[in-house]
Amino acid sequence: MNMRLVTICFLVFAATTIMAQERVKKIEFYGAAKTNILHQDFNVDGDTLNLSKANYGHSLIDLGILVRPSVNTEISTEFRLRNELGGFWGGAVTYGIRKLTLKGIVNDAIRYKIGDLDLEMTPYTLFNNNYQDLVNEATVFKMAREVIDYENYFSGNAWRQQGIQSSYGFYLNNETFKSIDVNLFSTRNRTADPSSASPERLFSGGQIGLNTSYGLLTFHSANLFDLKNTVNDMKLYYNLVNTISANISLAEFPKFSLNYESGISKANYENLIEEETVTIEDYFWNFGLIYSSNKKIRLSVNCINTGPQFRSPAAQNIRLGYSSSSNVFPTIGNNLAIRNMGLIDYLYNDVFYYKSFDSQLDLYNPAFSNALPYGLATPNRKGFSVSLDELTIKEQLNLSSEINMISEIIGTGTTQLKSFMKFVAKANYDYKKWSANAGLAYETTSRDGQAYEKIELSSMLFDFGFDFDLTDQLSILFGTKYHMADGNELLAVYDSYNNPLYFDPISYNDQKQMLNSIGLMVNFSERSKLTASLSSFSQKAEQEYTFNQLQLLYRLNF
């Protein structure tokens, strides 16, 4: 297998080199290189069995090749070569193909892509929800976050999929109905596994947008389904989500605009052995009013209602696998208990991030997000939000905030309803050679009732960063993250139909964790940066421990 891959890479490289010599303008090379080295000290009082120091890291290079055989066709591929720290003489070298995409235009009208695709629609249909452990991160943390994004193919809120995509549009020559844009795709979500009788699973859909003089009206469809007869079928799954969204400008009130999206979902679980089919259906709607007085201020009000059995696998997701554990200092204490992850693990250590989605609701951490853990598509939620999306003062200070008042639609395990409040505020300030940013996220969850029903949970996440430019090429960076959680929650564990099966009691007894970092960044050029940073982390909870870390991170884009 390795020799075959080496042979393919050699032939592709040789062919492109020859073509590059003959047709220079049709071949382009690009890439990225990175070296990431970390040293960590792990301190736990009374721990005599676990290791207290770790050195690890890697160097890698991604070489991209763009080949344009014709004016309307482009092939892009990326080859990766990676060497782990301490892998001398090629002993820890891995290599492979990171990306392969063919795209082009047919008859100057229809665009197509085959291979690796980055797909995104709306927060209710196809959407990779944001991280839950950040509000407005410091630059010294953003660089570590960019590494996570790059390695896990996170680009905005898009999901990296493999399949085919096509888009086209045409004008209607009408003053009211101006044009129609069509975007269709079909991807492979899961390969067939005969040993577990799991059939091939596809994800298909698209959107059709009608551009009018009043605004944009769009139909969205997202369908996750099993392909029959790819294994000896025992069960088949199908999930459909259809929505309509509208963005309307009000001619009589030019400072106001309306946003709307509503839709339905239908999930079928077919048991071929017992000849039974379970069907789950529900709906949602989201209505918003936006006010923009000028370029410096923007306000919005939204009302939401998402049914308790609304199912949208490509939108009801989280990025971080909270149930996973780090391979760096995995145990703690002389009883060798599994170490609970903290803020430093999420940014720097080897933890699990979801690269795709499936039919099951992922386990989330209510200490970080409980009001809308799966984004706007979180089932069993109703309420409203008020947002200050942007307020700019003297071109230097930028403010934004949002408050959500939400409750359950039906009780989970009881007739009592949970109530949620979520408040987020962000600030960014730039002045000459220095800049600062801050962010705060505060959530509360409450439920009345008998002692076994009562829930009181509060959590807070605070981000702060400060940058100072010593010269045009040298900058001092500082960042801090602080998180706290206090109270209790009954976390739902879902069955195969994503209905609550039982509730796992969780308590946080004034849990606190803090991550501080100071660094020095050298900008060799716009594409080349070296950062050295010192970090300290402490956690005060059921497990108490501290980290000290030194990181060297070099990045080059070419």
Side-chain angles (χ1 to χ4, degrees):
M1 178 65 182
N2 291 338
M3 287 302 298
R4 184 183 301 174
L5 180 60
V6 172
T7 303
I8 293 174
C9 293
F10 174 77
L11 292 175
V12 171
F13 182 77
T16 54
T17 302
I18 295 172
M19 292 177 65
Q21 294 174 351
E22 297 178 352
R23 304 175 180 179
V24 177
K25 294 183 180 180
K26 293 191 176 183
I27 302 294
E28 289 185 16
F29 294 92
Y30 67 94
K34 179 186 68 175
T35 296
N36 189 17
I37 299 175
L38 295 107
H39 170 80
Q40 291 182 337
D41 290 335
F42 180 53
N43 301 300
V44 182
D45 290 341
D47 190 342
T48 60
L49 294 182
N50 291 286
L51 300 176
S52 60
K53 295 183 185 296
N55 291 291
Y56 60 101
H58 63 268
S59 295
L60 62 82
I61 181 170
D62 293 327
L63 176 62
I65 305 174
L66 289 177
V67 182
R68 298 184 179 91
S70 64
V71 177
N72 295 325
T73 307
E74 179 181 283
I75 303 171
S76 62
T77 184
E78 293 179 7
F79 300 100
R80 163 164 288 192
L81 183 66
R82 173 171 172 149
N83 186 37
E84 300 300 323
L85 179 65
F88 299 107
W89 304 292
V93 172
T94 57
Y95 45 85
I97 298 177
R98 176 178 163 84
K99 176 186 176 182
L100 183 59
T101 303
L102 168 66
K103 65 179 180 180
I105 305 175
V106 178
N107 294 328
D108 293 327
I110 302 176
R111 299 178 181 272
Y112 67 89
K113 282 185 180 181
I114 301 174
D116 294 315
L117 313 171
D118 292 319
L119 301 176
E120 176 186 353
M121 289 197 291
T122 73
Y124 292 94
T125 52
L126 175 58
F127 200 77
N128 188 352
N129 289 301
N130 294 323
Y131 297 98
Q132 298 175 349
D133 59 319
L134 69 84
V135 190
N136 191 17
E137 276 187 328
T139 302
V140 69
F141 297 138
K142 285 181 181 177
M143 292 184 296
R145 189 75 63 181
E146 289 170 0
V147 172
I148 297 173
D149 288 341
Y150 182 77
E151 293 299 319
N152 293 280
Y153 307 100
F154 295 152
S155 176
N157 297 107
W159 280 110
R160 170 63 63 91
Q161 299 284 284
Q162 290 183 329
I164 184 170
Q165 180 184 19
S166 178
S167 61
Y168 57 92
F170 50 89
Y171 293 100
L172 299 177
N173 296 322
N174 187 288
E175 293 185 359
T176 302
F177 304 105
K178 299 180 179 180
S179 63
I180 293 178
D181 296 312
V182 180
N183 187 352
L184 305 173
F185 62 84
S186 183
T187 66
R188 188 186 201 184
N189 180 263
R190 186 184 69 186
T191 59
D193 183 8
S195 63
S196 61
S198 299
E200 189 100 355
R201 182 166 290 178
L202 302 182
F203 179 65
S204 302
Q207 50 192 12
I208 302 173
L210 175 62
N211 295 288
T212 73
S213 57
Y214 302 101
L216 178 63
L217 180 67
T218 309
F219 169 77
H220 314 270
S221 183
N223 306 276
L224 185 65
F225 58 95
D226 290 337
L227 196 60
K228 197 172 183 178
N229 296 327
T230 54
V231 296
N232 187 14
D233 295 321
M234 299 176 63
K235 295 181 179 180
L236 292 174
Y237 169 78
Y238 176 77
N239 193 98
L240 170 147
V241 181
N242 288 332
T243 78
I244 295 178
S245 66
N247 300 296
I248 302 173
S249 300
L250 304 178
E252 297 181 359
F253 304 95
K255 295 182 180 181
F256 290 88
S257 60
L258 298 176
N259 285 338
Y260 178 78
E261 186 174 4
S262 65
I264 61 170
S265 72
K266 181 178 180 181
N268 276 349
Y269 301 85
E270 184 178 0
N271 190 321
L272 301 178
I273 304 300
E274 299 180 2
E275 297 183 350
E276 293 181 352
T277 300
V278 175
T279 301
I280 299 175
E281 300 177 273
D282 217 322
Y283 69 94
F284 80 94
W285 55 261
N286 183 323
F287 178 81
L289 176 66
I290 300 174
Y291 171 77
S292 299
S293 64
N294 49 50
K295 295 182 179 180
K296 295 184 178 181
I297 186 170
R298 176 184 166 94
L299 298 169
S300 62
V301 178
N302 267 74
C303 296
I304 64 170
N305 186 299
T306 307
Q309 295 196 330
F310 178 73
R311 303 287 185 262
S312 183
Q316 293 170 335
N317 52 72
I318 60 176
R319 291 191 178 184
L320 175 62
Y322 286 104
S323 60
S324 66
S325 59
S326 173
N327 291 326
V328 182
F329 308 120
T331 58
I332 184 174
N334 291 335
N335 61 347
L336 300 180
I338 300 298
R339 182 176 66 84
N340 296 330
M341 293 188 299
L343 293 172
I344 193 169
D345 295 292
Y346 304 153
L347 274 172
Y348 299 104
N349 291 337
D350 183 20
V351 295
F352 177 73
Y353 283 92
Y354 292 98
K355 293 184 177 67
S356 187
F357 50 85
D358 54 31
S359 59
Q360 284 296 121
L361 288 173
D362 300 320
L363 178 67
Y364 66 92
N365 189 342
F368 281 94
S369 181
N370 205 32
L372 296 169
Y374 305 113
L376 287 174
T378 301
N380 198 24
R381 295 291 190 270
K382 64 178 181 179
F384 69 93
S385 66
V386 180
S387 304
L388 172 65
D389 298 321
E390 184 177 349
L391 174 60
T392 304
I393 302 174
K394 294 183 178 180
E395 305 298 331
Q396 294 176 332
L397 179 62
N398 185 276
L399 304 174
S400 63
S401 64
E402 180 180 12
I403 185 169
N404 292 266
M405 304 299 295
I406 304 171
S407 71
E408 292 181 321
I409 297 175
I410 63 173
T412 50
T414 174
T415 57
Q416 300 290 331
L417 302 180
K418 294 180 185 178
S419 297
F420 309 91
M421 187 281 292
K422 181 178 182 179
F423 173 75
V424 178
K426 301 177 184 179
N428 294 282
Y429 185 78
D430 291 296
Y431 180 74
K432 294 183 179 179
K433 292 187 176 183
W434 65 274
S435 62
N437 60 280
L440 173 70
Y442 180 73
E443 282 196 25
T444 62
T445 304
S446 62
R447 185 172 71 185
D448 295 328
Q450 302 296 323
Y452 65 90
E453 297 175 296
K454 284 187 176 182
I455 292 174
E456 289 291 339
L457 176 63
S458 63
S459 64
M460 182 185 72
L461 177 63
F462 176 71
D463 270 323
F464 176 77
F466 177 85
D467 303 341
F468 181 76
D469 297 331
L470 296 173
T471 66
D472 292 339
Q473 294 182 314
L474 195 61
S475 302
I476 294 177
L477 312 176
F478 173 76
T480 186
K481 297 174 76 73
Y482 174 78
H483 178 260
M484 63 79 62
D486 188 42
N488 74 297
E489 171 63 299
L490 295 170
L491 187 62
V493 178
Y494 298 98
D495 61 15
S496 58
Y497 305 121
N498 285 323
N499 292 319
L501 182 63
Y502 64 90
F503 299 90
D504 189 14
I506 298 177
S507 62
Y508 304 95
N509 185 16
D510 197 23
Q511 175 180 297
K512 298 176 182 177
Q513 51 181 326
M514 175 176 282
L515 175 62
N516 296 308
S517 184
I518 186 169
L520 189 67
M521 181 171 67
V522 182
N523 292 290
F524 299 107
S525 67
E526 292 183 359
R527 298 185 175 185
S528 178
K529 295 180 181 180
L530 172 65
T531 306
S533 62
L534 292 171
S535 303
S536 65
F537 172 76
S538 62
Q539 175 173 284
K540 295 183 179 180
E542 181 182 355
Q543 295 179 346
E544 295 191 7
Y545 59 86
T546 61
F547 266 96
N548 292 309
Q549 174 182 281
L550 168 65
Q551 183 193 35
L552 295 176
L553 176 62
Y554 175 72
R555 294 176 298 165
L556 170 66
N557 295 315
F558 58 90

